[in-house]
Every structure is written in C-alpha cells, then in structure tokens.
Amino acid sequence: MPKHIIIDTDPGIDDALAILLAAVSPEIALDGVTTIHGNASTEQTTWNALAVLELAKASHVPVFKGCDLPLVKESLLGPETHGNSGLGYAQLPEPATQPKAQHGSDYLIEQIMSRPGEVTLVAIGPLTNVALAIRQEPHIVENVKEVFIMGGAIQHPGNTTAQAEYNTYVDPHAAHIVFHSGMPMILTPLDVTYQCIFTQADLDRLLKIDSPVTKFIADATRFYMEFHDEYQSIDGCVINDPMTLALTFMPEICDYQNLVVDVDISTGVGLGNTFGDFYNYEKKKPNMKVAMGVRPRMFMELFLERMEKLAREIS
Ligand code: RIB
Ligand code: CA
C-alpha cells in the first residue's frame, strides 16, 4: 500500500529533486503539492512545482499556492543558492497546468481532516503554510499521520546564519508554532543532510542516460554546486529535501533520537537557531524524533537508482 503524502515545498533545486523522487517511487502516492515562499517567491515556486511535475509526467498531481510571506519577518529569498528562477541554470517549458484556486493551507486542512490518520505531510520549505493551517484548524495535529520536516541544525553550524538553517531562519515563528504543536514530527536537520553530498561523479553516472530528466538535474545542480563551492568550499551539493522525502519510505537510512527541540524566536544573533535539550534539563516530553545519524551511501544509491529509473521512463 503506497503512503499518501502531501509535499509543502519551495522549489528550489533540492525541492525539485524531492518532487522527482516522489513521482518515481512506488512506495509513495503523491496526493498534492502546496507551495511556499523561500528559495524563490511563491509565484515562482508554484510555477516551478508545476513545471517539475510536468517533467516527471506527474501533472495529474494538483498544486496549491500558499503564503507569500513569513508570519512576522520580512521575506528572505535564496537567489544566490537556487538562482533567480529557483531552478539554477535549468530551463523548463511553460507548464500546461495551473495551480488550483484553493489556498495551500486550506488544502492541507481539508485533506488531513477528511482522511484522519492517512495523510503524511512532508514539509521541505519554511513552515508558514503548516503553521497557518495549525492556527486555522488545531485538530490537524491529531489527525495528520506524521510530519517529516527538513529543517534545523541541532549540533551542526547553520547554513544561513552561523547558528540557523534556512527554513527555520526564514520563518522562525512558524517553526515555533509547528515545533510546539504536538504533531508527530520527524526532523531531518543539517546534522544528517550535510553528510549526503551529491557529487560530480554522481551526476556523471546519471548523465550516462540521455533524458530531459538528467539534463534538468545537471543544469539545476551545476548552479547549486557552484554555490556550495563558493560559499562553503563543498565539492558537490547538499540535497537536503530528497533525503527528507526518502525517510518516508526508507527510515533505515537514518538513526533517530527522541528529543525536546526548540527554535529561538528572540531578536538576537540566535534567531532561527534550533537546539535539542539532550539532557532534558526541563523534564519535558520529547516533541519530535530527530535524525542524528545517517548512512549516506544508502541514501545516495537509492536516489541515483530512482533518478536512473525516471530518466529511462522519460526520454
Ligand atoms: O537549509 C536547506 C533547506 O532550505 C532546503 O529545504 C532548501 O531547499 C531550502 O528550502
Ligand atoms: Ca526546500
């Protein structure tokens, strides 16, 4: 039985790879995509989501535009990381489909409340839509099956400020609402994603297959690799989002700790910082499962095999 998921996303190069992985994986039934501001504007991330679904021959998956701005902070987009288009150097055709009229947060509420215990949410962008949905309908907390979140840096440096990861930094107030909601959360922080570097050798393996899919991956990740080299001296690129998606059907890629995790919403240098109370000084109940260990090659092999499968299907 495939797992029914909704992806909340800000495509974004690694988001696009997560959408491709979802589209090709039989373990997943991708019910819908909700888009959010982040790597690019919500107008752009919505266009990108439609275009990437079309590339994957998955245009039947409905797309719902979400919030344009964080709950409190100013917008912070990521053109230096993902390019002005949000997809690096990749050029996709104008999508033939349009987003649905329903707001992304309303779609999340409608789907989770109409199918109690059945919907898995995979949140791989800033958490504005999810936070808004919780405030509009608090009962989604006990009706969602599970929530996989890409975000945070627990014992790892930030990738946006010295302390903060991008998704939690862009909308720390939304992250705070979600982290304290009581939802059944599994967090994939930079602590594990930074151990999974997509390299030129991985790309060369995919390029052995001539396909619009491999051309897209090459053009998108070339920009992403240039960013990682220039800003973080990394030889390759960190594909955070497909790794988060993979845990929905291959949890054994990671090792997990039940932790009390919080996010700093003070206005100092720690804004957006996420931290785990490893000694549980405050004697609280853990609020999430956190991936703190990973088998990088297990994930990368899965990702490459699935991209090769998709590329062979789409020539
Ligand atoms: O910090 C990495 C996360 O921020 C990823 O989800 C990336 O796509 C950006 O949204
Ligand atoms: Ca993302």
Side-chain angles (χ1 to χ4, degrees):
M1 254 316 251
K3 183 171 275 191
H4 283 269
I5 76 164
I6 295 171
I7 300 178
D8 187 70
T9 177
D10 61 331
I13 293 166
D14 58 334
D15 301 72
L17 300 181
I19 293 171
L20 293 180
L21 181 60
V24 73
S25 296
E27 302 88 345
I28 285 176
L30 182 55
D31 292 341
V33 170
T34 54
T35 57
I36 190 66
H37 63 85
N39 293 323
S41 69
T42 315
E43 282 305 320
Q44 188 65 58
T45 61
T46 304
W47 190 100
N48 292 345
L50 293 165
V52 171
L53 286 167
E54 195 157 300
L55 172 69
K57 302 285 186 241
S59 290
H60 60 282
V61 176
V63 174
F64 301 82
K65 182 175 174 293
C67 297
D68 290 303
L69 293 171
L71 294 183
V72 176
K73 279 184 69 190
E74 296 285 303
S75 170
L76 174 68
L77 306 182
E80 77 294 330
T81 311
H82 296 265
N84 290 328
S85 74
L87 296 177
Y89 297 122
Q91 309 244 318
L92 290 178
E94 181 76 25
T97 51
Q98 293 287 324
K100 301 300 179 192
Q102 192 176 26
H103 189 279
S105 287
D106 294 335
Y107 173 73
L108 293 177
I109 293 168
E110 175 199 79
Q111 291 299 310
I112 292 169
M113 296 306 287
S114 63
R115 295 185 284 156
E118 288 182 27
V119 175
T120 292
L121 176 58
V122 180
I124 52 178
L127 289 166
T128 316
N129 286 337
V130 183
L132 195 60
I134 291 169
R135 284 292 183 261
Q136 282 178 273
E137 177 44 87
H139 291 298
I140 63 170
V141 165
E142 63 264 20
N143 283 288
V144 70
K145 178 183 172 69
E146 54 197 343
V147 186
F148 289 81
I149 297 170
M150 194 282 128
I154 304 298
Q155 295 179 313
H156 191 280
N159 65 355
T160 303
T161 69
Q163 299 185 47
E165 177 275 328
Y166 181 80
N167 288 336
T168 58
Y169 182 70
V170 166
D171 199 340
H173 305 93
H176 194 273
I177 289 170
V178 175
F179 284 18
H180 291 268
S181 68
M183 281 177 142
M185 290 171 276
I186 302 95
L187 185 75
T188 308
L190 301 185
D191 304 67
V192 290
T193 64
Y194 264 67
Q195 297 180 57
C196 297
I197 309 292
F198 180 77
T199 65
Q200 187 60 47
D202 295 321
L203 179 55
D204 291 344
R205 170 173 156 181
L206 295 182
L207 287 172
K208 290 191 172 77
I209 303 170
D210 181 18
S211 158
V213 171
T214 52
K215 175 166 176 23
F216 169 77
I217 295 172
D219 292 344
T221 57
R222 189 167 72 254
F223 187 100
Y224 205 33
M225 288 183 187
E226 288 169 1
F227 162 80
H228 281 82
D229 178 29
E230 181 185 346
Y231 282 73
Q232 299 176 359
S233 302
I234 290 174
D235 182 14
C237 56
V238 183
I239 53 175
N240 312 278
D241 295 337
M243 192 190 145
T244 303
L245 190 281
L247 299 187
T248 65
F249 62 88
M250 193 178 276
E252 60 272 27
I253 288 170
C254 285
D255 298 316
Y256 305 86
Q257 290 187 38
N258 290 314
L259 279 177
V260 176
V261 175
D262 207 341
V263 53
D264 185 343
I265 53 173
S266 61
T267 52
V269 292
L271 181 62
N273 174 31
T274 51
F275 49 95
D277 183 356
F278 286 86
Y279 295 113
N280 202 2
Y281 290 115
E282 299 193 17
K283 302 289 178 266
K284 285 182 180 172
K285 194 164 143 312
N287 56 334
M288 59 178 78
K289 236 168 77 166
V290 183
M292 290 302 286
V294 61
R295 293 160 193 82
R297 288 318 302 175
M298 181 189 285
F299 162 66
M300 203 52 77
E301 197 51 41
L302 166 79
F303 178 71
L304 294 173
E305 281 171 7
R306 296 289 164 96
M307 290 304 101
E308 287 170 332
K309 175 173 179 284
L310 185 64
R312 289 194 188 97
E313 290 168 3
I314 297 167
S315 53

mmCIF file of all heavy atoms in Angstrom, residues 182-204:
data_model
loop_
_atom_site.group_PDB
_atom_site.id
_atom_site.type_symbol
_atom_site.label_atom_id
_atom_site.label_comp_id
_atom_site.label_asym_id
_atom_site.label_seq_id
_atom_site.Cartn_x
_atom_site.Cartn_y
_atom_site.Cartn_z
ATOM 1 N N GLY A 182 2.604 19.608 18.909
ATOM 2 C CA GLY A 182 2.208 18.254 19.326
ATOM 3 C C GLY A 182 2.012 17.320 18.141
ATOM 4 O O GLY A 182 1.664 16.145 18.300
ATOM 5 N N MET A 183 2.288 17.818 16.941
ATOM 6 C CA MET A 183 2.185 16.941 15.748
ATOM 7 C C MET A 183 3.229 15.841 15.868
ATOM 8 O O MET A 183 4.300 16.050 16.441
ATOM 9 C CB MET A 183 2.485 17.760 14.478
ATOM 10 C CG MET A 183 1.355 18.615 13.982
ATOM 11 S SD MET A 183 1.917 19.566 12.544
ATOM 12 C CE MET A 183 0.442 19.497 11.542
ATOM 13 N N PRO A 184 2.993 14.648 15.285
ATOM 14 C CA PRO A 184 4.017 13.585 15.267
ATOM 15 C C PRO A 184 5.094 13.901 14.231
ATOM 16 O O PRO A 184 4.917 13.654 13.034
ATOM 17 C CB PRO A 184 3.223 12.336 14.870
ATOM 18 C CG PRO A 184 2.018 12.835 14.155
ATOM 19 C CD PRO A 184 1.717 14.202 14.675
ATOM 20 N N MET A 185 6.188 14.519 14.688
ATOM 21 C CA MET A 185 7.196 15.068 13.778
ATOM 22 C C MET A 185 8.467 14.226 13.731
ATOM 23 O O MET A 185 8.914 13.711 14.757
ATOM 24 C CB MET A 185 7.579 16.487 14.216
ATOM 25 C CG MET A 185 6.500 17.511 14.003
ATOM 26 S SD MET A 185 6.913 19.106 14.781
ATOM 27 C CE MET A 185 6.372 18.794 16.463
ATOM 28 N N ILE A 186 9.024 14.145 12.521
ATOM 29 C CA ILE A 186 10.353 13.548 12.316
ATOM 30 C C ILE A 186 11.192 14.635 11.640
ATOM 31 O O ILE A 186 10.842 15.067 10.533
ATOM 32 C CB ILE A 186 10.300 12.295 11.425
ATOM 33 C CG1 ILE A 186 9.356 11.238 12.027
ATOM 34 C CG2 ILE A 186 11.702 11.732 11.208
ATOM 35 C CD1 ILE A 186 7.954 11.293 11.473
ATOM 36 N N LEU A 187 12.235 15.104 12.304
ATOM 37 C CA LEU A 187 13.036 16.223 11.790
ATOM 38 C C LEU A 187 14.298 15.704 11.099
ATOM 39 O O LEU A 187 14.986 14.812 11.619
ATOM 40 C CB LEU A 187 13.442 17.145 12.943
ATOM 41 C CG LEU A 187 14.178 18.435 12.552
ATOM 42 C CD1 LEU A 187 13.185 19.443 11.949
ATOM 43 C CD2 LEU A 187 14.882 19.043 13.778
ATOM 44 N N THR A 188 14.576 16.241 9.919
ATOM 45 C CA THR A 188 15.815 15.937 9.202
ATOM 46 C C THR A 188 16.659 17.209 9.163
ATOM 47 O O THR A 188 16.440 18.063 8.294
ATOM 48 C CB THR A 188 15.503 15.474 7.758
ATOM 49 O OG1 THR A 188 14.540 14.430 7.795
ATOM 50 C CG2 THR A 188 16.756 14.984 7.064
ATOM 51 N N PRO A 189 17.594 17.372 10.100
ATOM 52 C CA PRO A 189 18.373 18.605 10.186
ATOM 53 C C PRO A 189 19.653 18.548 9.359
ATOM 54 O O PRO A 189 19.995 17.487 8.795
ATOM 55 C CB PRO A 189 18.709 18.675 11.680
ATOM 56 C CG PRO A 189 18.844 17.238 12.088
ATOM 57 C CD PRO A 189 17.876 16.462 11.226
ATOM 58 N N LEU A 190 20.376 19.636 9.321
ATOM 59 C CA LEU A 190 21.642 19.678 8.587
ATOM 60 C C LEU A 190 22.640 18.667 9.141
ATOM 61 O O LEU A 190 23.543 18.240 8.406
ATOM 62 C CB LEU A 190 22.249 21.081 8.658
ATOM 63 C CG LEU A 190 21.422 22.245 8.108
ATOM 64 C CD1 LEU A 190 22.234 23.541 8.158
ATOM 65 C CD2 LEU A 190 20.942 21.968 6.692
ATOM 66 N N ASP A 191 22.459 18.271 10.396
ATOM 67 C CA ASP A 191 23.370 17.290 11.014
ATOM 68 C C ASP A 191 23.493 16.039 10.143
ATOM 69 O O ASP A 191 24.564 15.431 10.085
ATOM 70 C CB ASP A 191 22.859 16.889 12.398
ATOM 71 C CG ASP A 191 22.666 18.099 13.296
ATOM 72 O OD1 ASP A 191 21.762 18.908 12.984
ATOM 73 O OD2 ASP A 191 23.410 18.249 14.274
ATOM 74 N N VAL A 192 22.429 15.638 9.486
ATOM 75 C CA VAL A 192 22.495 14.450 8.615
ATOM 76 C C VAL A 192 22.555 14.816 7.132
ATOM 77 O O VAL A 192 23.249 14.154 6.348
ATOM 78 C CB VAL A 192 21.319 13.485 8.878
ATOM 79 C CG1 VAL A 192 21.481 12.816 10.237
ATOM 80 C CG2 VAL A 192 19.961 14.166 8.769
ATOM 81 N N THR A 193 21.887 15.898 6.737
ATOM 82 C CA THR A 193 21.869 16.187 5.293
ATOM 83 C C THR A 193 23.263 16.590 4.784
ATOM 84 O O THR A 193 23.614 16.291 3.648
ATOM 85 C CB THR A 193 20.860 17.300 4.929
ATOM 86 O OG1 THR A 193 21.258 18.543 5.538
ATOM 87 C CG2 THR A 193 19.451 16.930 5.371
ATOM 88 N N TYR A 194 24.053 17.210 5.646
ATOM 89 C CA TYR A 194 25.399 17.632 5.208
ATOM 90 C C TYR A 194 26.370 16.463 5.076
ATOM 91 O O TYR A 194 27.514 16.655 4.653
ATOM 92 C CB TYR A 194 25.977 18.711 6.150
ATOM 93 C CG TYR A 194 25.744 20.103 5.604
ATOM 94 C CD1 TYR A 194 24.453 20.623 5.519
ATOM 95 C CD2 TYR A 194 26.785 20.894 5.120
ATOM 96 C CE1 TYR A 194 24.220 21.879 4.987
ATOM 97 C CE2 TYR A 194 26.565 22.161 4.588
ATOM 98 C CZ TYR A 194 25.266 22.645 4.525
ATOM 99 O OH TYR A 194 25.038 23.894 3.975
ATOM 100 N N GLN A 195 25.887 15.264 5.422
ATOM 101 C CA GLN A 195 26.720 14.073 5.198
ATOM 102 C C GLN A 195 26.350 13.408 3.874
ATOM 103 O O GLN A 195 26.915 12.382 3.506
ATOM 104 C CB GLN A 195 26.547 13.093 6.371
ATOM 105 C CG GLN A 195 27.020 13.662 7.714
ATOM 106 C CD GLN A 195 26.821 12.666 8.829
ATOM 107 O OE1 GLN A 195 27.313 11.539 8.787
ATOM 108 N NE2 GLN A 195 26.080 13.082 9.864
ATOM 109 N N CYS A 196 25.354 14.028 3.166
ATOM 110 C CA CYS A 196 24.882 13.405 1.914
ATOM 111 C C CYS A 196 25.126 14.380 0.764
ATOM 112 O O CYS A 196 24.245 15.156 0.403
ATOM 113 C CB CYS A 196 23.403 13.076 2.018
ATOM 114 S SG CYS A 196 23.068 11.882 3.303
ATOM 115 N N ILE A 197 26.340 14.362 0.239
ATOM 116 C CA ILE A 197 26.729 15.312 -0.806
ATOM 117 C C ILE A 197 26.574 14.663 -2.174
ATOM 118 O O ILE A 197 27.126 13.585 -2.431
ATOM 119 C CB ILE A 197 28.198 15.757 -0.623
ATOM 120 C CG1 ILE A 197 28.442 16.237 0.811
ATOM 121 C CG2 ILE A 197 28.575 16.832 -1.642
ATOM 122 C CD1 ILE A 197 27.741 17.512 1.185
ATOM 123 N N PHE A 198 25.781 15.301 -3.021
ATOM 124 C CA PHE A 198 25.626 14.866 -4.415
ATOM 125 C C PHE A 198 26.818 15.423 -5.181
ATOM 126 O O PHE A 198 27.014 16.643 -5.233
ATOM 127 C CB PHE A 198 24.304 15.404 -4.973
ATOM 128 C CG PHE A 198 24.017 15.037 -6.396
ATOM 129 C CD1 PHE A 198 23.576 13.759 -6.728
ATOM 130 C CD2 PHE A 198 24.179 15.964 -7.415
ATOM 131 C CE1 PHE A 198 23.283 13.423 -8.046
ATOM 132 C CE2 PHE A 198 23.901 15.643 -8.736
ATOM 133 C CZ PHE A 198 23.448 14.367 -9.057
ATOM 134 N N THR A 199 27.655 14.537 -5.763
ATOM 135 C CA THR A 199 28.925 14.977 -6.361
ATOM 136 C C THR A 199 28.869 14.945 -7.893
ATOM 137 O O THR A 199 27.928 14.405 -8.482
ATOM 138 C CB THR A 199 30.066 14.034 -5.921
ATOM 139 O OG1 THR A 199 29.792 12.728 -6.478
ATOM 140 C CG2 THR A 199 30.152 13.954 -4.411
ATOM 141 N N GLN A 200 29.897 15.481 -8.507
ATOM 142 C CA GLN A 200 30.009 15.428 -9.969
ATOM 143 C C GLN A 200 30.030 13.979 -10.451
ATOM 144 O O GLN A 200 29.427 13.646 -11.481
ATOM 145 C CB GLN A 200 31.285 16.147 -10.435
ATOM 146 C CG GLN A 200 31.386 16.272 -11.957
ATOM 147 C CD GLN A 200 30.239 17.059 -12.581
ATOM 148 O OE1 GLN A 200 29.890 18.153 -12.095
ATOM 149 N NE2 GLN A 200 29.611 16.526 -13.630
ATOM 150 N N ALA A 201 30.650 13.103 -9.676
ATOM 151 C CA ALA A 201 30.700 11.675 -10.066
ATOM 152 C C ALA A 201 29.287 11.086 -10.065
ATOM 153 O O ALA A 201 28.921 10.300 -10.953
ATOM 154 C CB ALA A 201 31.596 10.914 -9.091
ATOM 155 N N ASP A 202 28.470 11.494 -9.081
ATOM 156 C CA ASP A 202 27.075 11.023 -9.049
ATOM 157 C C ASP A 202 26.334 11.544 -10.284
ATOM 158 O O ASP A 202 25.581 10.822 -10.941
ATOM 159 C CB ASP A 202 26.381 11.522 -7.771
ATOM 160 C CG ASP A 202 26.979 10.935 -6.501
ATOM 161 O OD1 ASP A 202 27.337 9.736 -6.512
ATOM 162 O OD2 ASP A 202 27.104 11.678 -5.504
ATOM 163 N N LEU A 203 26.581 12.811 -10.613
ATOM 164 C CA LEU A 203 25.919 13.409 -11.777
ATOM 165 C C LEU A 203 26.382 12.727 -13.071
ATOM 166 O O LEU A 203 25.570 12.417 -13.955
ATOM 167 C CB LEU A 203 26.217 14.906 -11.840
ATOM 168 C CG LEU A 203 25.610 15.682 -13.005
ATOM 169 C CD1 LEU A 203 24.094 15.490 -13.076
ATOM 170 C CD2 LEU A 203 25.959 17.173 -12.888
ATOM 171 N N ASP A 204 27.681 12.461 -13.163
ATOM 172 C CA ASP A 204 28.206 11.791 -14.368
ATOM 173 C C ASP A 204 27.544 10.427 -14.566
ATOM 174 O O ASP A 204 27.253 10.014 -15.698
ATOM 175 C CB ASP A 204 29.730 11.627 -14.270
ATOM 176 C CG ASP A 204 30.452 12.969 -14.357
ATOM 177 O OD1 ASP A 204 29.807 13.952 -14.785
ATOM 178 O OD2 ASP A 204 31.638 13.032 -13.973
#
